[in-house]
Amino acid sequence: MIPWAWLTHNWFDLVQSIGIVSSLLFTGVSFRSEMQTRRVANLFLITESHRSIWMEIYKRPGLERVLDPQADIRQTEITRDEEMFVNFVIFHIHGVFYAHKHALLFKLEGLRRDIQYFFSLPIPMAVWQKSRSLQNESFVTFIEECLIGPSSTGSS
């Protein structure tokens, strides 16, 4: 009988508490859903940006040397177009890095390996060495960890 007496005196507080808890749960579910939607939208934006940058290789054949592992930068200097292209890639990676750091993206499998491969090429490495002093410290650390290899810090 005591629970029934308590309920008759406190029914409004109970309903109010259930409403507050339900609202919080609904807000949490909505927030999670919105975050997932935002991550998917960001993935599409990054994919479009990635495609746009790399299409330049096909549109401008003079940029093919950027991806040549045998490019001799001592014999033939890096062109302005090659340097600009690599800087666009660096800016793109920079954006991806910060979006990932602030949980605005899903985990991108293979990102570190892609970065390691790209900067293992002579032209991208030379441009990186030239421009790294202009980058944020945390971004430089991330790139340098990628250059060491996947076993150094795990995957991101």
Side-chain angles (χ1 to χ4, degrees):
M1 289 233 181
I2 294 174
W4 190 247
W6 179 88
L7 188 59
T8 58
H9 285 60
N10 297 301
W11 68 270
F12 184 74
D13 292 338
L14 180 64
V15 170
Q16 193 175 32
S17 297
I18 290 171
I20 290 170
V21 170
S22 297
S23 296
L24 289 173
L25 288 172
F26 178 75
T27 301
V29 169
S30 295
F31 180 76
R32 182 176 171 85
S33 176
E34 172 62 28
M35 186 55 97
Q36 294 291 83
T37 302
R38 185 174 298 159
R39 286 178 179 156
V40 170
N42 289 342
L43 183 60
F44 280 121
L45 287 171
I46 284 176
T47 301
E48 175 58 30
S49 176
H50 181 83
R51 187 187 65 75
S52 175
I53 291 168
W54 287 100
M55 284 301 292
E56 290 299 313
I57 294 281
Y58 300 107
K59 290 179 187 173
R60 298 165 53 196
L63 294 176
E64 289 175 349
R65 194 171 81 111
V66 169
L67 299 178
D68 182 1
Q70 306 302 321
D72 187 354
I73 58 176
R74 290 184 210 129
Q75 185 178 27
T76 306
E77 286 187 19
I78 298 171
T79 67
R80 189 169 151 244
D81 285 347
E82 290 169 338
E83 185 173 352
M84 188 180 307
F85 175 79
V86 172
N87 277 317
F88 285 149
V89 173
I90 291 170
F91 293 146
H92 176 68
I93 295 168
H94 185 264
V96 170
F97 168 72
Y98 280 101
H100 184 266
K101 183 177 178 178
H102 295 289
L104 298 173
L105 280 179
F106 296 108
K107 181 178 177 184
L108 299 173
E109 299 291 335
L111 176 64
R112 288 177 178 269
R113 288 187 304 275
D114 285 346
I115 292 170
Q116 182 184 30
Y117 171 74
F118 182 70
F119 287 111
S120 73
L121 300 170
I123 293 174
M125 179 53 87
V127 174
W128 170 248
Q129 292 301 325
K130 183 177 177 181
S131 68
R132 68 184 286 226
S133 64
L134 305 173
Q135 307 297 326
N136 294 345
E137 187 177 327
S138 60
F139 179 63
V140 171
T141 300
F142 171 71
I143 296 295
E144 297 298 326
E145 288 173 354
C146 291
L147 295 178
I148 293 169
S151 63
S152 65
T153 58
S155 61
S156 281

